[in-house]
Amino acid sequence: MYLLLNIDVADLDRGVRFYEAALGLRYSRSLFDGGAAEMLGAGCRLYLIERAEPDPAPAGAAHPWSRHWTPIHPDFVVQDIATATARAVTAGALQETPIRPFEWGQLVTLSAPFGNGFCLIEFVGEPYEVPATPERNGPPAR
């Protein structure tokens, strides 16, 4: 099994330019008679799918192209969160939170010009692993 990530965009050319400039993804190929683009470079294949109008929500209400919430969103792991955030914002992303520190690293939330939310994360070690300290080298409490 492997993961493919599909992201709806209102304008495919603009979407390709944004994801190249903001996250360093690279265009691979066009699909579906030019209605989609495969992007590589994030550890999985990411497909931008052009939709003139957003698909309706299950209840029948249309999702606007303005910022909207979805419980599933991509997290892009970066080496330098400040540089990656500046790059994304320069490319057109909206930074929604400050860069926040956690024991396991740093995180910032942003949204693409099409309203899709995503996070940039810089880990200290393994994903979400809290580095060991003298107080924390025993087994986890149960």
Side-chain angles (χ1 to χ4, degrees):
M1 181 184 305
Y2 57 94
L3 176 69
L4 301 178
L5 180 62
N6 296 297
I7 298 177
D8 292 349
V9 296
D11 180 308
L12 189 59
D13 290 335
R14 185 174 173 216
V16 167
R17 288 192 311 272
F18 172 76
Y19 284 94
E20 285 176 333
L23 299 167
L25 300 180
R26 55 187 194 283
Y27 170 84
S28 172
R29 62 187 173 132
S30 292
L31 301 144
F32 314 131
D33 295 324
E38 180 181 70
M39 306 294 289
L40 302 176
C44 75
R45 291 174 192 229
L46 190 143
Y47 295 92
L48 302 179
I49 301 170
E50 185 173 54
R51 301 200 188 279
E53 296 290 326
D55 280 348
H63 290 296
W65 282 121
S66 60
R67 178 67 170 114
H68 51 84
W69 170 248
T70 176
I72 298 175
H73 63 274
D75 289 346
F76 295 95
V77 179
V78 298
Q79 300 245 342
D80 180 339
I81 198 165
T83 301
T85 300
R87 177 181 181 170
V89 168
T90 299
L94 174 65
Q95 183 176 344
E96 297 181 341
T97 64
I99 296 171
R100 295 172 288 169
F102 294 91
E103 290 182 304
W104 42 261
Q106 300 181 83
L107 177 140
V108 63
T109 59
L110 303 104
S111 59
F114 312 101
N116 300 314
F118 65 97
C119 297
L120 298 177
I121 299 177
E122 179 182 327
F123 289 115
V124 174
E126 290 297 311
Y128 303 109
E129 182 177 82
V130 176
T133 63
E135 317 70 71
R136 278 198 213 121
N137 24 352
R142 296 189 186 231

